[in-house]
């Protein structure tokens, strides 16, 4: 069965630090990949997505992610975090073809200290 | 902003009672999904509709759970004879049925269910 792993459960950074959150998926075929963010008290919002083409994708609020097929990874990065980036971040995968269900990782709670 | 809406936002019930949740997708979206999220976990897929047809069901969806989307617009998720293990956040998402947007799901705020 397809699975998505996020190895960092809680990350604490100071403002202006660089961020990298790990995400690995298990499915070997065509896959669409997503990062969602959930700010405190708010619903899940799409941060960025990868379907095909350039493996480096840019999302909102200065976030980017790199798809590395050989490593089955889709890590999220931001060069300089802000206090307002404090949130829970979820990586998700959608198997290509007819499958429609998103498979989510368990999430990474990011706390940015002012 | 006409995003995905869910009602109620919170529901507290006693074990054994039935509960029903409603989801209104983004108006032009014909795909609708239900997920369940428990504390410390990511959302888990429950079921999916294209228009009024329920096309996929997870094994997590026991026979106490039923979902409908009678007119291809809003959807309801009913849980019969609730158990304490049903306590979770129930999330609804919707997506378009064309192009790259086919695979992008937009989520509602969720209904938090507490079973006492």
């Amino acid at each position: 069965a397809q699975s998505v792993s996020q190895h960092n459960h809680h990350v604490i950074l100071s403002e202006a630090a660089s961020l990298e959150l790990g995400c690995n998926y298990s499915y070997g075929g065509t896959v669409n990949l997503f990062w969602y963010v959930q700010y405190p008290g708010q619903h899940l919002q799409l941060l960025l997505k990868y379907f095909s083409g350039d493996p480096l994708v840019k999302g909102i609020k200065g976030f980017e992610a790199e798809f590395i097929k050989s490593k089955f990874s889709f890590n999220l990065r931001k060069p300089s975090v802000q206090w307002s980036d404090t949130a829970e971040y979820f990586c998700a995968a959608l198997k290509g073809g007819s499958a429609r269900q998103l498979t989510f990782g368990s999430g990474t709670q990011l706390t940015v200290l002012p | 902003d006409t995003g995905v809406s869910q009602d109620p936002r919170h529901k507290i019930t006693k074990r054994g009672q039935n509960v029903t949740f409603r989801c209104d997708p983004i108006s032009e979206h014909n795909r609708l999904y239900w997920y369940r999220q428990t504390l410390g976990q990511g959302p888990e897929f429950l079921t999916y509709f294209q228009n009024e047809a329920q096309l996929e069901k997870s094994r997590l969806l026991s026979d106490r759970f039923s979902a409908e989307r009678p007119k291809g617009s809003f959807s309801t998720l009913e849980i019969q004879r609730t158990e304490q293990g049903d306590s979770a956040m129930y999330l609804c998402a919707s997506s378009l049925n064309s192009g790259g947007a086919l695979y992008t799901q937009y989520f509602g705020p969720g209904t938090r269910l507490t079973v006492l």
Side-chain angles (χ1 to χ4, degrees), chain B residues 9-98:
Chain B
R9 296 290 303 275
H10 303 273
K11 179 70 178 179
I12 300 174
T13 191
K14 293 182 179 180
R15 187 179 57 181
Q17 297 295 305
N18 299 344
V19 294
T20 300
F21 311 141
R22 175 179 171 128
C23 170
D24 287 88
I26 294 171
S27 59
E28 63 269 28
H29 288 187
N30 61 349
R31 294 189 168 202
L32 187 147
Y33 314 78
W34 285 99
Y35 291 81
R36 181 174 70 185
Q37 184 178 18
T38 53
L39 200 60
Q41 298 298 318
E44 295 175 292
F45 172 80
L46 292 178
T47 189
Y48 147 74
F49 290 85
Q50 180 164 314
N51 300 313
E52 64 276 8
Q54 188 174 18
L55 298 184
E56 275 186 55
K57 291 169 64 174
S58 162
R59 62 181 183 276
L60 292 175
L61 210 67
S62 75
D63 56 7
R64 295 185 299 105
F65 288 69
S66 63
E68 294 182 341
R69 195 182 182 198
K71 297 181 180 179
S73 56
F74 72 92
S75 175
T76 58
L77 178 67
E78 181 183 16
I79 309 175
Q80 296 183 326
R81 306 182 302 282
T82 52
E83 301 173 356
Q84 289 183 325
D86 297 332
S87 295
M89 178 75 86
Y90 289 85
L91 298 170
C92 178
S94 69
S95 72
L96 270 172
N97 189 29
S98 62

